[in-house]
Amino acid sequence: MKKYNLQLGALMATVVTLSIVPVRLAEGQGANPVSLIGSEIVIWLMCMATWLSSYKTYYRFSLPKWQKIAVALLFCAVISNLFFMASFRMFEDYPLKSMRELPLWIITIRLSLRGLLLGLIMVPIIFLLETERERQAEALKRERDRAADAERQKHVLEELVSERTADLEETLLFLGESQEELDHQVYLLTRVIASIAHDVQAPLQFIVAATKHTGKLIDGKQWEQAAEYNQQVESSLADTAMLMQNLLEFARGQIHKGALHSADVNLAAVMREKARLFEQILNSAGNTWRISLNENLTVHTNAHLLGVILHNLLDNATKNTRDGEIAISGEVAGGRLHLYIQNPGTSALPAGIVQTDRQDGPAQYATRLEGDGNGLGLILVRDIAALLNIDFTIEAVSGKVIARMIFSEFSGS
C-alpha cells in the first residue's frame, strides 16, 4: 500500500471534507449533528475511494496517460453516484439544496459533476506525483545501472590489469633468466676462448721446436730422424685439432640449448687418446704415465666435453711434474665411479690452485677466479663438470696433487 500514498490521500480527503462544513452550516444542517457528522464521514470515505481508484487506474491500465486521466475521472463520477445512492436515506451528504425531490437524471448529472470536480482536484495531483516518482525511479535505476556497469568495467579492468601484470612479471622473469643464462654463456665462452689460447700453447711450442729440429735434421741429411720428428709433429697437430674440436663443441653446446648429447664413453680409450697429445712434453720432462683403468669401464656423458676436462687436467699435471709419475686410476665407491688423476707435488703449488686452511683433513685446493693464464684450465674444468653433473675436486694429500671426478652413470668395473 506504500505506493498509493495513503497519508497524502487522507490529508486531501480531510481537507475537502472540512471545506464544505461552513456551507452546510450556513444552510442550517448543523441543526441535526448526527446527520451532519455521518454525511461528512460518507464524503471522506468517497474522497478516499476516489483517491484509490485514481491510483488503480494509473497502475492497472496499460493506456496512454491522457486516456488514464479520462478513465480516472469517469470512475470519480461513478463513485460519487454510488456513495450518494448508498447513504442518502441515512444522511444528506450533498450540500446547498436537498436533492431528494429532484428527478433521477438531474441527480445523476449533479452527482457526476461533483465527482468530476473532486477528480479534477485529486487526479492531477496523483498523476503529477506518480509521474515525478517514476521519473526519479528511472533516473535512480539509470544511475544504479551506470554504477553497476562501472563496477563491472572496473572488475573487468582489474582482471585485465592483473592478467597483464602477471604476463609482464612472467616476461620479466623470463628475461631475467635469459639474461642470467646469457651472462653465463658469455662467461663460459670467454673461458673457452682463453682456454684455446692456453691449452694449445704447449703443443704448439713443441710443434715449433720439432719443426726447427726437423729442419736441422734435413740440412744434415738425417732423413730417418727427420721423418720420425715429422711424424710426431703430424700426431701433435692431429691431437691439437681434436682438442680444438672439443672446445668448439662445448662452445656450440652453450649457444644451442639441447645440442649436448650423451653417450657411453670408454675411459681407458679416451685417456690414451689424450695422453698421446702430451707424450712428447711428458718425455722431455722425464715423466711417465701409469693408466690403471679397466678396458670395459664406460661412463655416460658427452664425449667432447669430457675430452676438454681430461685435456686440462693432464695439462695441469704435466706442467707441474718433473721426473715423476702421473697416475690415472678409478674405483667404485658408494655406487659411483671415482676417477683419479694424481701427480707428485712440487715445492710450488700447481698452477691455478690456491691452498685454503683446513684443520680437520687433507689440505683442500680451489681454482683461481682472477682469470690469470695458469688458472683458466681448472676454471673451465669446474664449469664443464658442473654442466655434465660431474662432481669435481682437487686436493693435495701426502705430497701429491689429486684431481678427482665422480660419475653417477657408468658401467663396467
Side-chain angles (χ1 to χ4, degrees):
M1 297 295 289
K2 183 177 180 181
K3 70 177 181 179
Y4 296 110
N5 207 341
L6 294 179
Q7 292 180 348
L8 181 58
L11 177 61
M12 292 291 297
T14 302
V15 170
V16 171
T17 302
L18 294 178
S19 66
I20 63 174
V21 171
V23 178
R24 302 187 68 179
L25 291 177
E27 289 184 341
Q29 294 184 20
N32 189 350
V34 174
S35 177
L36 178 64
I37 294 172
S39 62
E40 286 293 296
I41 293 173
V42 171
I43 293 172
W44 189 90
L45 292 175
M46 181 187 68
C47 292
M48 286 299 299
T50 301
W51 181 270
L52 294 175
S53 68
S54 298
Y55 261 104
K56 285 287 186 180
T57 302
Y58 186 88
Y59 282 108
R60 293 292 182 180
F61 293 96
S62 301
L63 298 171
K65 191 165 291 186
W66 70 269
Q67 293 181 2
K68 289 183 179 181
I69 293 175
V71 173
L73 291 175
L74 178 62
F75 280 156
C76 291
V78 173
I79 289 172
S80 178
N81 282 273
L82 291 177
F83 267 84
F84 180 83
M85 296 301 177
S87 64
F88 79 93
R89 297 185 184 279
M90 295 179 292
F91 310 109
E92 181 66 41
D93 64 353
Y94 197 94
L96 302 179
K97 186 178 181 179
S98 175
M99 296 180 60
R100 299 186 183 192
E101 293 82 12
L102 297 176
L104 181 60
W105 65 273
I106 295 178
I107 293 175
T108 303
I109 292 174
R110 294 187 67 176
L111 291 174
S112 298
L113 292 175
R114 182 183 71 169
L116 291 175
L117 180 62
L118 183 60
L120 290 175
I121 296 173
M122 292 187 172
V123 170
I125 294 175
I126 292 172
F127 274 66
L128 289 174
L129 287 176
E130 292 308 306
T131 300
E132 179 63 19
R133 190 177 70 84
E134 287 183 352
R135 187 191 66 80
Q136 293 179 355
E138 290 177 358
L140 181 60
K141 182 177 181 301
R142 288 194 299 269
E143 190 65 27
R144 288 176 177 173
D145 290 342
R146 284 195 295 268
D149 291 339
E151 186 66 25
R152 285 193 295 269
Q153 292 177 1
K154 176 184 175 183
H155 183 66
V156 171
L157 183 60
E158 288 177 350
E159 289 184 350
L160 182 61
V161 171
S162 178
E163 292 176 358
R164 294 294 175 84
T165 302
D167 292 341
L168 180 59
E169 290 177 351
E170 183 178 355
T171 302
L172 291 176
L173 179 61
F174 176 76
L175 289 177
E177 293 176 352
S178 299
Q179 181 64 40
E180 291 179 0
E181 181 65 23
L182 180 60
D183 292 341
H184 182 64
Q185 289 179 6
V186 171
Y187 167 78
L188 291 178
L189 292 178
T190 55
R191 290 296 181 266
V192 170
I193 295 172
S195 182
I196 290 174
H198 168 263
D199 293 340
V200 302
Q201 181 179 3
L204 288 179
Q205 288 177 350
F206 169 76
I207 292 170
V208 171
T211 303
K212 289 180 180 180
H213 190 64
T214 302
K216 293 178 181 180
L217 293 175
I218 293 175
D219 292 339
K221 298 182 180 181
Q222 300 178 16
W223 311 115
E224 293 182 2
Q225 294 182 5
E228 180 181 351
Y229 269 88
N230 183 69
Q231 185 177 2
Q232 292 176 359
V233 169
E234 180 182 353
S235 177
S236 296
L237 286 173
D239 293 335
T240 304
M242 179 62 68
L243 170 64
M244 295 294 294
Q245 180 183 352
N246 292 342
L247 289 171
L248 292 175
E249 181 72 16
F250 171 59
R252 184 169 56 191
Q254 293 305 303
I255 296 173
H256 302 288
K257 278 297 184 181
L260 299 181
H261 302 287
S262 297
D264 291 333
V265 180
N266 187 288
L267 275 182
V270 73
M271 272 297 182
R272 285 194 296 269
E273 176 187 332
K274 293 301 170 184
R276 283 199 303 269
L277 181 63
F278 297 94
E279 187 171 356
Q280 300 302 323
I281 302 173
L282 192 76
N283 294 335
S284 64
N287 298 320
T288 58
W289 293 113
R290 180 166 61 86
I291 301 177
S292 304
L293 292 174
N294 190 306
E295 292 296 328
N296 297 323
L297 185 61
T298 61
V299 293
H300 191 73
T301 186
N302 182 272
H304 296 289
L305 300 189
L306 179 61
V308 174
I309 293 176
L310 297 177
H311 175 91
N312 282 278
L313 291 179
L314 294 177
D315 179 62
N316 185 75
T318 55
K319 286 181 179 179
N320 294 279
T321 303
R322 293 294 182 271
D323 298 324
E325 181 183 70
I326 299 175
I328 301 170
S329 60
E331 67 173 357
V332 177
R336 299 197 295 173
L337 173 64
H338 295 246
L339 177 66
Y340 301 99
I341 300 176
Q342 61 183 15
N343 60 284
T346 59
S347 57
L349 287 175
I353 304 178
V354 178
Q355 184 174 3
T356 57
D357 294 332
R358 282 185 52 167
Q359 303 298 330
D360 57 344
Q364 182 74 32
Y365 296 92
T367 60
R368 295 184 190 270
L369 299 179
E370 297 84 23
D372 61 336
N374 291 331
L376 287 173
L378 293 178
I379 293 176
L380 194 64
V381 168
R382 180 199 61 190
D383 294 335
I384 299 178
L387 182 67
L388 298 179
N389 295 321
I390 298 174
D391 293 336
F392 169 71
T393 59
I394 184 168
E395 57 187 1
V397 180
S398 303
K400 294 182 179 180
V401 175
I402 303 176
R404 173 168 49 192
M405 290 187 295
I406 303 176
F407 301 86
S408 298
E409 299 183 55
F410 69 97
S411 62
S413 58

